[in-house]
Amino acid sequence: ETGVTQSPTHLIKTRGQQVTLRCSSQSGHNTVSWYQQALGQGPQFIFQYYREEENGRGNFPPRFSGLQFPNYSSELNVNALELDDSALYLCASSQGLPGEKLFFGSGTQLSVL
Amino acid sequence: GESVGLHLPTLSVQEGDNSIINCAYSNSASDYFIWYKQESGKGPQFIIDIRSNMDKRQGQRVTVLLNKTVKHLSLQIAATQPGDSAVYFCAEIDYGQNFVFGPGTRLSVLP
């Protein structure tokens, strides 16, 4: 176990709704990254937070947003859900500066109907 | 853009044999690479990493080889066991210090 916990584990939403996914980083880790993993594909980088500031963003639209809190826990928010947003959302934390190895949680499986 | 890819999407090996999983990368400036293992219903699990100032690194039953000349990375698993069945991803660090993942290789261990 990595010590990275995500909630909820599964979620079903309808198109157009909004969703918030939560992540608790491993103790001592100050960087959190979010990834989207479609079925049968590798994780795709959404964004990263380092010390509560966004530190990089992948090719995702602005309706994907995030927060990192002083205790280094994090949220991923997705507005105006689309069918293609159905995927496994993974949170990963790392220690020290960005670019260190990532430790992943088990993910939140989001289904958009 | 930069990409990380794998030569083989699936690999089947006999239990006890050695496995070799390959990965090609295109960012010649990448200086850090990681192999992850993902089992069904779980997040990726760190296996082994290597920095660009090395060409080989060994762990417990696993070895990673890095060939910077041809931009190729491989993961060798010795004496493959049923518990090794999973999808394996290579990941490289990009210019923004974020990790880019390849599409993955599914390893199936046959009894």
Side-chain angles (χ1 to χ4, degrees), chain A residues 50-108:
Chain A
Y50 172 61
R51 293 185 174 180
E52 303 177 58
E53 297 287 330
E54 186 177 290
N55 186 60
R57 188 178 183 91
N59 188 27
F60 281 82
R63 60 188 184 86
F64 285 77
S65 62
L67 282 173
Q68 186 182 30
F69 299 101
N71 65 355
Y72 302 130
S73 65
S74 177
E75 287 183 354
L76 165 64
N77 298 288
V78 187
N79 293 323
L81 283 166
E82 300 177 0
L83 298 179
D84 286 348
D85 295 333
S86 295
L88 179 68
Y89 288 85
L90 295 162
C91 170
S93 70
S94 57
Q95 188 175 31
L97 294 171
E100 294 301 320
K101 63 171 75 71
L102 301 175
F103 294 88
F104 284 87
S106 294
T108 294

Side-chain angles (χ1 to χ4, degrees), chain B residues 85-108:
Chain B
S85 292
V87 177
Y88 290 80
F89 295 98
C90 64
E92 64 170 326
I93 200 78
D94 70 5
Y95 295 107
Q97 295 300 298
N98 299 300
F99 285 95
V100 176
F101 283 74
T105 291
R106 180 172 297 280
L107 176 64
S108 295

Side-chain angles (χ1 to χ4, degrees), chain A:
Chain A
E1 297 299 322
T2 64
V4 179
T5 58
Q6 293 186 242
S7 62
T9 56
H10 296 82
L11 199 54
I12 299 175
K13 290 287 189 178
T14 57
R15 192 171 50 185
Q17 285 188 313
Q18 178 267 342
V19 68
T20 297
L21 309 182
R22 295 180 173 83
C23 173
S24 177
S25 300
Q26 183 169 325
S27 178
H29 287 191
N30 55 10
T31 300
V32 64
S33 302
W34 285 92
Y35 284 80
Q36 181 194 67
Q37 186 176 24
L39 188 63
Q41 297 183 21
Q44 298 295 310
F45 174 68
I46 303 175
F47 44 57
Q48 181 185 78
Y49 281 83
Y50 172 61
R51 293 185 174 180
E52 303 177 58
E53 297 287 330
E54 186 177 290
N55 186 60
R57 188 178 183 91
N59 188 27
F60 281 82
R63 60 188 184 86
F64 285 77
S65 62
L67 282 173
Q68 186 182 30
F69 299 101
N71 65 355
Y72 302 130
S73 65
S74 177
E75 287 183 354
L76 165 64
N77 298 288
V78 187
N79 293 323
L81 283 166
E82 300 177 0
L83 298 179
D84 286 348
D85 295 333
S86 295
L88 179 68
Y89 288 85
L90 295 162
C91 170
S93 70
S94 57
Q95 188 175 31
L97 294 171
E100 294 301 320
K101 63 171 75 71
L102 301 175
F103 294 88
F104 284 87
S106 294
T108 294
Q109 184 65 54
L110 174 65
S111 298
V112 182
L113 306 178

Side-chain angles (χ1 to χ4, degrees), chain B residues 34-93:
Chain B
I34 301 179
W35 280 100
Y36 283 92
K37 170 187 180 183
Q38 187 174 25
E39 298 174 281
S40 181
K42 297 183 179 181
Q45 175 188 358
F46 172 87
I47 302 174
I48 192 168
D49 58 357
I50 189 167
R51 298 202 180 265
S52 59
N53 60 351
M54 304 174 69
D55 53 20
K56 180 179 180 179
R57 191 159 188 229
Q58 289 183 291
Q60 185 177 9
R61 281 201 308 118
V62 295
T63 300
V64 55
L65 299 177
L66 175 62
N67 185 331
K68 294 180 286 294
T69 301
V70 295
K71 292 185 284 188
H72 183 268
L73 194 68
S74 69
L75 176 70
Q76 300 179 0
I77 304 174
T80 311
Q81 303 170 358
D84 295 328
S85 292
V87 177
Y88 290 80
F89 295 98
C90 64
E92 64 170 326
I93 200 78

